[in-house]
Amino acid sequence: MLFDKFKTMADFLAELESKDVKPFGAVTEKLLSSTQGIVNGQNVILAGTNNYLGLSYDARCIAASQEAAAKWGTGTTGSRVANGSFVGHQELESELAAFYGVDQAIAFTTGYAATMGMCATIAGPGDVILLDADSHASIYAGVQLSGADIIRFKHSDPDDLAKRLRRLGDRAKQTLIIAEGIYSMLGDIAPLQEIAAIKREHGAYLFVDEAHSMGVLGETGRGAAQAAGIEDDVDFLAGTFSKSLGATGGYCVSKHQILETIRFTIRSYIFTASTSPSVVASTRKALQIMRKEPQLRSKLWENANRLYTGLKVLGLPVGPTASPVVAVNLEDRNQAINCWNELMGAGVYVNLVVPPASPSTAFLLRNSVSAAHSTAQIDTIIAAYSNLVNAGLISTNKE
Amino acid sequence: MADNQDYLKFMYSIIKGLNKTDLELSEKTELVADIGLSSLEVMEFIEQVEDEYDISIPLNILPDITTLGDFARKLNELNS
């Protein structure tokens, strides 16, 4: 039957419903700040929003957005290729290019459309894509549309990447390597220096998705490639407006002039309505703020280190390094569901991540930290986990 | 140069090492339906084959592989 393939998901959702757990259908009824809200009727700390710099609720971004809506209307009602661009779209792209020190930038309506569209378009039939095994769903969706031969390398494993490039022989020069800056589920940072060195050795191309690292890493917040000192090796760099910049949308920048030609071949750019003026305006304002206020990044890392260390000291199985994504890795599904529910009850709203969204068979309680979290909020999150440990509801490394 | 039988022989040895099934293995044996490999185990299985023959198997061809025989034929194509 047509719908048989949905049975596993239907059973899982029914199980959650029977336990009165709503990790995937949580509704925010009121926002009290960028880090506090009323969710499912409860006043909770928002600890799973990816709002790394807290700019979604910044008064200056809201004002810019309001002004643009009044001046330009609520939507563009069409594609930039068909309807044309608003001047704000072009200014946003110029400002992104200037931020990265390159000539070329494309703004997309969503981050998913940016990475999916670029990964579907840059390489094609006869080419090879070598992607990190833990790549985001948008990357997998894109490469499947590309027509290129798709080969995975082990997650963040430069030796495996090098081995697979060697096996390709001359085809290595027709190969696009895809990696991310910070990986969204576990918060680990890609070994971009090693990856870039291998790319250079084999004459391949490199695409880096900085969705979770833009505004987070690098001297000026350009991301993991800047932090690793390998920006010259990156052929295409994608990112999103929906995390550090607190809006919706995505982008790709490149040092290659060809990006302007590629723009007119990307289906997720051509066949969708362009970014709304209010979103363009708040994104531009957020980019300005991010550039002028590096203290936001300092505060973000202060909070990230505090939460990571706090959970690690409790003996919880967190990721390999501190980052603004702090994931608690659990093998037991019921334990993960129960803990998510207990955290909600304690006023802490985190993400429950289940396979295949998690990179293995594990279940994750995924926390994301914001510069806007107060120290007291971070300590409340740690205390909520501590209560889970003391109640024997969660396994620790100490057991 | 390895042939179909070489590939099958090597795959049988990997599967026997996994202790997942008592089935008599043949080229008609299905990786998921008969042996019961999970998606992660399938990827690990493929990786062992890749390392043995020093090749990389594109994800694109995986939908065409159901049985061990399918896999052996694809390996032949890739190496030809």
Side-chain angles (χ1 to χ4, degrees):
Chain A
M1 296 290 287
L2 189 65
F3 300 149
D4 285 353
K5 55 185 167 295
F6 304 115
K7 187 175 182 309
T8 305
M9 178 55 74
D11 290 347
F12 182 49
L13 293 174
E15 180 193 341
L16 294 176
E17 182 80 27
S18 70
K19 292 176 177 170
D20 198 25
V21 179
K22 298 173 183 166
F24 310 125
V27 177
T28 302
E29 291 135 6
K30 188 176 181 185
L31 211 53
L32 304 172
S33 73
S34 59
T35 57
Q36 195 84 30
I38 308 295
V39 179
N40 291 350
Q42 288 178 265
N43 189 331
V44 294
I45 298 169
L46 304 173
T49 59
N50 306 318
N51 195 359
Y52 297 125
L53 302 181
L55 292 176
S56 72
Y57 214 59
D58 185 281
R60 294 162 291 180
C61 295
I62 293 169
S65 190
Q66 287 170 329
E67 190 181 326
K71 191 172 177 183
W72 294 93
T74 53
T76 63
T77 68
S79 156
R80 288 174 65 185
V81 177
N83 295 26
S85 299
F86 285 11
V87 72
H89 292 126
Q90 293 183 319
E91 287 169 345
L92 172 58
E93 287 177 346
S94 297
E95 287 159 9
L96 280 167
F99 174 56
Y100 281 99
V102 297
D103 293 332
Q104 306 293 322
I106 303 176
F108 291 80
T109 311
T110 69
Y112 189 99
T115 43
M116 187 270 283
M118 292 306 301
C119 291
T121 309
I122 302 170
D127 301 325
V128 181
I129 291 175
L130 258 174
L131 80 163
D132 186 286
D134 286 2
S135 291
H136 187 260
S138 60
I139 293 172
Y140 272 101
V143 300
Q144 283 169 1
L145 293 170
S146 70
D149 286 344
I150 306 158
I151 296 168
R152 304 195 318 173
F153 64 93
K154 285 183 193 170
H155 175 54
S156 287
D157 186 335
D159 292 339
D160 196 53
L161 172 65
K163 178 174 72 181
R164 292 179 185 280
L165 274 168
R166 174 186 55 75
R167 286 172 179 168
L168 287 169
D170 289 342
R171 292 187 80 202
K173 292 181 174 57
Q174 276 177 266
T175 297
L176 180 69
I177 301 164
I178 300 178
E180 298 180 27
I182 290 179
Y183 283 85
S184 60
M185 290 296 111
L186 299 180
D188 51 316
I189 301 168
L192 288 180
Q193 282 182 352
E194 292 87 339
I195 289 173
I198 293 163
K199 173 247 176 178
R200 281 196 299 274
E201 184 187 342
H202 291 270
Y205 294 82
L206 178 59
F207 177 100
V208 179
D209 178 4
E210 301 267 22
H212 290 265
S213 35
M214 187 259 204
V216 173
L217 291 173
E219 190 182 348
T220 62
R222 292 205 293 249
Q226 185 184 37
I230 57 103
E231 287 181 292
D232 287 346
D233 293 302
V234 179
D235 295 280
F236 299 93
L237 184 151
T240 180
F241 305 144
S242 63
K243 295 179 173 66
S244 285
L245 300 180
T248 310
Y251 62 91
C252 181
V253 299
S254 177
K255 61 186 179 182
H256 298 295
Q257 296 294 323
I258 194 74
L259 184 66
E260 190 53 28
T261 305
I262 293 173
R263 175 196 295 271
F264 297 101
T265 65
I266 307 167
R267 298 175 73 84
S268 66
Y269 174 84
I270 301 168
F271 298 103
T272 193
S274 59
T275 316
S276 297
S278 58
V279 174
V280 170
S282 77
T283 301
R284 292 178 63 199
K285 181 57 73 176
L287 185 59
Q288 283 174 20
I289 294 169
M290 191 191 86
R291 297 181 74 170
K292 283 182 186 164
E293 299 181 11
Q295 64 270 28
L296 288 172
R297 201 155 48 254
S298 306
K299 177 62 178 167
L300 169 66
W301 276 99
E302 187 187 312
N303 285 342
N305 284 320
R306 191 176 186 90
L307 180 62
Y308 180 81
T309 305
L311 298 190
K312 197 162 187 179
V313 165
L314 289 174
L316 293 172
V318 291
T321 52
S323 92
V325 176
V326 185
V328 178
N329 206 315
L330 302 173
E331 288 301 326
D332 186 279
R333 163 190 165 142
N334 288 330
Q335 187 181 60
I337 293 169
N338 291 339
C339 285
W340 182 88
N341 216 21
E342 290 291 327
L343 287 169
M344 273 297 279
V348 178
Y349 176 34
V350 306
N351 307 129
L352 174 66
V353 183
V354 303
S358 59
S360 65
T361 55
F363 293 76
L364 305 177
L365 295 170
R366 177 185 179 276
N367 310 271
S368 60
V369 177
S370 173
H373 280 126
S374 66
T375 303
Q377 283 178 314
I378 298 293
D379 289 347
T380 301
I381 299 168
I382 296 168
Y385 276 99
S386 178
N387 288 339
L388 293 180
V389 171
N390 293 336
L393 294 174
I394 193 166
S395 315
T396 69
N397 297 328
K398 294 173 181 172
E399 291 165 9
Chain B
M1 176 78 78
D3 63 17
N4 264 18
Q5 289 308 312
D6 295 324
Y7 294 133
L8 285 169
K9 198 172 159 189
F10 180 67
M11 288 191 275
Y12 295 161
S13 71
I14 300 175
I15 290 163
K16 280 174 186 158
L18 293 173
N19 287 323
K20 293 277 292 187
T21 180
D22 294 328
L23 275 179
E24 183 75 19
L25 299 175
S26 75
E27 62 180 292
K28 290 182 179 169
T29 304
E30 296 189 12
L31 285 161
V32 176
D34 293 335
I35 306 169
L37 296 185
S38 67
S39 55
L40 275 180
E41 287 169 331
V42 168
M43 297 316 293
E44 286 165 8
F45 173 73
I46 290 169
E47 198 181 307
Q48 288 189 57
V49 174
E50 288 179 321
D51 285 344
E52 175 70 14
Y53 297 105
D54 200 26
I55 57 169
S56 289
I57 297 166
L59 297 182
N60 319 50
I61 69 168
L62 298 188
D64 298 332
I65 296 173
T66 304
T67 65
L68 293 173
D70 295 335
F71 200 178
R73 282 186 287 279
K74 286 291 178 188
L75 289 169
N76 245 339
E77 286 172 26
L78 286 170
N79 267 337
S80 64

